[in-house]
Structures are given as structure tokens and as C-alpha cells.
Amino acid sequence: MIYTVWLPLLLPFLAGPAARRLVSRLAPRQAVRVLALTAAGLAAGSTAALALLVVPGATHVPAVAEVGRLLTPLTPHPAVPPGAPAVAAACVALVLLLLCTGLLVRGLLRHRAQLLRAQRLAAGARSELLVLPDEAPDAYALPGRPGRIVVTAGMLRALSPGEREALLAHERSHLRGRHHRHTAVMTLAALCHPALGALREPLAYALERCADEDAARAVGDRHLTARAIAKAALAARTPGSDGRPGLALAATAGPVPRRVAALLEHGSAAGSARSRRATGLAPACALLSCLALSALSAVDAAGDLHTSIEIAQGERRPR
């Protein structure tokens, strides 16, 4: 078990470089699915690996050994001497597991508080659109049941009617796709393993690209959509305003010049689009391979642990 159990803890470090390549080469909607699935799976695998590392050292505690009806304590691997190494590894893994659990609970509570705040802010709106009498240009999608599009009077004055339509279509896409859920999954996954934090920026970019493409289809003009996003970003001088809820998603977020270039570039010939999809398969396969290898390693380590428990109970002999 000592060999396979480490893989779920190491594989998240490989996900960041692949994720950065993925979002520039794969369709935004597909990229979002791959990134969210990979983050959740790798976080689960690393957490399971920590739990598996705790068990062998814990069996050196007489009370634990008695509960498991073990004749001898477990060792991580037959080549590893029993005693101090197993206990030390278990102590470190236990500290990390408790820290991960605490951060995860805190993250869930924070997410719930932000969602409740968003629902309270949107409760007074009678329609999907909530216009604030604020001169500072800003616009964002406010998740909830139902979600709302919040826009300030300053932002409405900064855009032409066609650009307003494109901006609202962008924010409407965030609500319709429930993009805040993907953001929450990624945030919680990064709390389970710090290396998964490298996937947050690629996911945020992919989500904005999804909304950009939906807006372009809704208004039927990619150049108008690109111009609306660029003007909105220039007008919003304080995109990180304290008045914006933590779960809000905005068209002015992320690398706007890169998104504008992607909108204009992706309107080119179908052949180049097919070429981009083909080159996007490699990083997608790399991320999904990391996910599969993490899951298989955790299952294999759990199987080895089960065998070790049976041996320690005297029920079977090692091969």
C-alpha cells in the first residue's frame, strides 16, 4: 500500500499545467466539465489517501487494535519495519486530514452564508433584472432561487442598447448554467489539496468563455459581444467592489483581452475550430488519466489495507 497510496497525493500537482493548456484548446463547456470533474475526483482521492495512511499507525494504539480484533499492528508495507515509521506517517496524515476536514467544513459554511446573502439581496427584485441606482459601473449574476442579474445605472449608461443586450445575455448564461456551483466545487476541492488551487483560474476563464459564447449566440453578433465585454470591463473600475457578493459572476472578470480575442478568433473557419478541438484532446486526456489513476490507486491501496487487516487478524496468510 505504501507505493500506491502516495499517487493520489502527488497527481494533483500535474493537473495545473494540463488545465492551463485545456482551456485554450477545448470548447469552453467541455473544459468546464473536465475541470470540475477532475478537481472533485482528485480532491476525493487525496482525502481517501490520507485516511488510508492513518489506519496502519492507528492500529499501534491498543484500543484501536482491540476494536479491530488485530493480533498484530498493521504496517504500511512488508518492507517497512513496524513501529515508529508507521506511527509517524499516521500522525502526519491525521493532522493533515483533520486540517482538510476543518477547512472543508469552514468552506461549506462560508458558501452557505454567501448563498443566503445573495438570496436576501435578490429577494426585493420583482423581475430577473435588478437595477441599482449606483453611478459606479458594475454588473453581475447573483445566484439564488431564482437568480437575478444585477446592474448599476452607471453601467447601463456606459453601453449602447445592443451592448446592454449582449451583457445581460452573458450574465443570464451564468444563471442558466448555474456556474456558481462549478466555482464552489473548485473552491472546496482546493481546500482538500492545495495543488488543486491551480485549477481555479482556468475554470473561471472557461466559465466566462461559456457565457461569452452563449451571449454571442443570443445576440447573433460576435463583434458586438466582444465590444460589450471590453467596454464593460473598462467602465467597471472597481470590479472587486465590497458590495458584490462572493458568489457573484461578472462579465468584467478574468483576462478580458484574452476573452475578447477568443470571441473574435473563434468566428473563423470551421477547419481551425476542428483543429483546436483536436489539440484540446491531449490535455483533456491527461487530466482524465490523472483522475482515473488517482481513483485506481486509492482502490488498490484500500484493497491492500483490507488484506493487511485480515492478515493481522490471523484470518489469512500473506502471499
Side-chain angles (χ1 to χ4, degrees):
M1 184 181 76
I2 196 167
Y3 302 117
T4 55
V5 78
W6 291 107
L7 283 177
L9 297 172
L10 298 176
L11 287 171
F13 292 98
L14 303 178
R20 287 189 289 271
R21 291 176 177 269
L22 178 78
V23 293
S24 60
R25 300 183 181 183
L26 199 65
R29 201 173 303 279
Q30 296 172 355
V32 167
R33 292 171 182 169
V34 172
L35 288 172
L37 177 63
T38 300
L42 291 179
S46 64
T47 304
L50 289 176
L52 290 171
L53 283 170
V54 170
V55 176
T59 60
H60 288 262
V61 179
V64 176
E66 184 177 352
V67 170
R69 293 180 297 177
L70 305 180
L71 301 179
T72 59
L74 302 181
T75 59
H77 189 269
V80 178
V87 174
C91 289
V92 173
L94 180 60
V95 170
L96 293 176
L97 186 61
L98 292 175
L99 178 62
C100 170
T101 303
L103 291 175
L104 194 59
V105 171
R106 181 182 177 186
L108 286 169
L109 293 175
R110 183 188 298 115
H111 175 75
R112 183 175 181 275
Q114 289 176 342
L115 193 58
L116 290 175
R117 181 190 175 197
Q119 291 175 348
R120 285 195 299 268
L121 290 175
R126 296 182 179 180
S127 64
E128 181 189 47
L129 183 63
L130 176 61
V131 179
L132 300 180
D134 193 340
E135 293 303 318
D138 198 9
Y140 51 88
L142 195 62
R145 296 182 180 179
R148 305 294 185 191
I149 299 173
V150 181
V151 61
T152 64
M155 180 62 80
L156 292 178
R157 278 193 288 271
L159 304 178
S160 67
E163 292 164 351
R164 293 175 199 163
E165 182 182 356
L167 180 66
L168 295 179
H170 175 104
E171 305 301 351
R172 192 173 293 113
S173 173
H174 282 316
L175 295 179
R176 186 170 57 250
R178 299 190 180 277
H179 292 169
H180 69 283
R181 293 184 176 179
H182 298 286
T183 303
V185 168
M186 185 63 70
T187 300
L188 295 175
L191 295 176
C192 294
H193 197 297
L196 294 176
L199 275 65
R200 296 178 67 174
E201 184 177 346
L203 177 69
Y205 173 75
L207 289 173
E208 293 303 327
R209 286 284 299 119
C210 280
D212 291 344
E213 292 295 328
D214 288 345
R217 282 191 292 269
V219 301
D221 190 336
R222 302 181 70 86
H223 287 80
L224 173 63
T225 304
R227 188 168 64 250
I229 292 170
K231 288 181 66 175
L234 289 174
R237 298 178 181 178
T238 56
S241 174
D242 292 338
R244 182 185 295 178
L247 294 179
L249 293 166
T252 56
V256 174
R258 184 181 173 192
R259 288 167 48 206
V260 170
L263 267 174
L264 301 178
E265 176 189 356
H266 281 237
S268 58
S272 62
R274 285 193 296 268
S275 175
R276 283 190 296 269
R277 284 194 294 269
T279 57
L281 290 178
C285 289
L287 286 174
L288 294 177
S289 296
C290 287
L291 177 60
L293 185 57
S294 176
L296 290 174
S297 299
V299 170
D300 183 65
D304 287 348
L305 179 61
H306 181 263
T307 301
S308 299
I309 291 175
E310 288 185 332
I311 293 171
Q313 290 175 337
E315 296 180 4
R316 59 185 291 186
R317 296 181 179 178
R319 298 177 182 176

